Amino acid sequence: MSACADVVCVRDKSGTLEVPLVSRASPPFQGGWFLQSGAIFNFRPVAQFVLWKLFREAGVCRGGIGDFINTHFKNTTAGLSCHGVELILPPLGVYRTAAHDCLPGKIADTLNVAYLALWPADMSFGHDEDHAAVRWVTLPELLKDANLCGHWYPHRLATRALQIVNAAKEGIVA
């Protein structure tokens, strides 16, 4: 089992809340729509790792985590925001996932801690070389198609994040 940190971005585009999903170019979950995520492979604060992974997978930055942290978090260890992207605490939760599209006889068994981030509407969002495409989805799209992502985990987190941000926007305690 490996430990992963994942992030669900939500942006408000002209009054419509939406979440970006990326199509994975290779296993695990190849061809499915997933969240920005990655195996935690270093000894950095998880919040900084999540922001680095998010910016890298969104095509906003290149390079390693060390350079990212030295550039953006010189004077702090908190690292809860960067370039207008705000990481919301506490995490959305801890989940266990499994993917069967790995090497023959292997399963990608992960323990995932999931975060919510608010992405500025005017900031570009693309994808890196590990992903084939990016698409933005809304809560009605997710509620209409329970298999939109191809796996329960990104679908559940995207739905939950949009519900939380929508409730906060409307002043409802979620």
Side-chain angles (χ1 to χ4, degrees):
M1 180 181 292
S2 60
C4 292
D6 307 329
V7 61
V8 183
C9 290
V10 175
R11 76 175 177 190
D12 186 336
K13 191 77 167 185
S14 302
T16 301
L17 296 177
E18 50 189 12
V19 167
L21 299 174
V22 287
S23 177
R24 297 191 45 91
S26 58
F29 306 109
Q30 184 174 5
W33 293 99
F34 223 77
L35 309 166
Q36 290 66 43
S37 62
I40 302 171
F41 58 85
N42 56 54
F43 297 101
R44 307 288 183 166
V46 174
Q48 292 177 356
F49 171 80
V50 166
L51 286 168
W52 167 72
K53 194 68 171 168
L54 171 60
F55 277 81
R56 192 175 149 286
E57 290 191 5
V60 175
C61 79
R62 298 190 188 279
I65 190 169
D67 291 338
F68 180 80
I69 289 174
N70 289 335
T71 300
H72 301 288
F73 302 107
K74 291 179 199 170
N75 301 319
T76 180
T77 58
L80 298 178
S81 65
C82 184
H83 290 293
V85 176
E86 185 178 350
L87 195 63
I88 306 300
L89 293 178
L92 290 171
V94 178
Y95 301 84
R96 185 173 181 182
T97 65
H100 298 278
D101 66 334
C102 298
L103 296 173
K106 299 286 184 181
I107 296 175
D109 186 12
T110 61
L111 189 62
N112 308 63
V113 62
Y115 290 88
L116 169 63
L118 302 178
W119 190 269
D122 60 346
M123 189 171 176
S124 66
F125 195 104
H127 63 83
D128 65 0
E129 64 280 353
D130 295 332
H131 300 89
V134 64
R135 70 185 278 204
W136 290 85
V137 297
T138 64
L139 185 57
E141 290 173 301
L142 289 162
L143 294 174
K144 182 179 178 183
D145 184 358
N147 197 35
L148 186 135
C149 299
H151 191 274
W152 69 267
Y153 177 68
H155 191 277
R156 179 178 178 145
L157 285 179
T159 301
R160 184 161 183 241
L162 286 166
Q163 289 169 331
I164 289 169
V165 174
N166 188 55
K169 188 176 167 183
E170 294 180 3
I172 301 168
V173 178

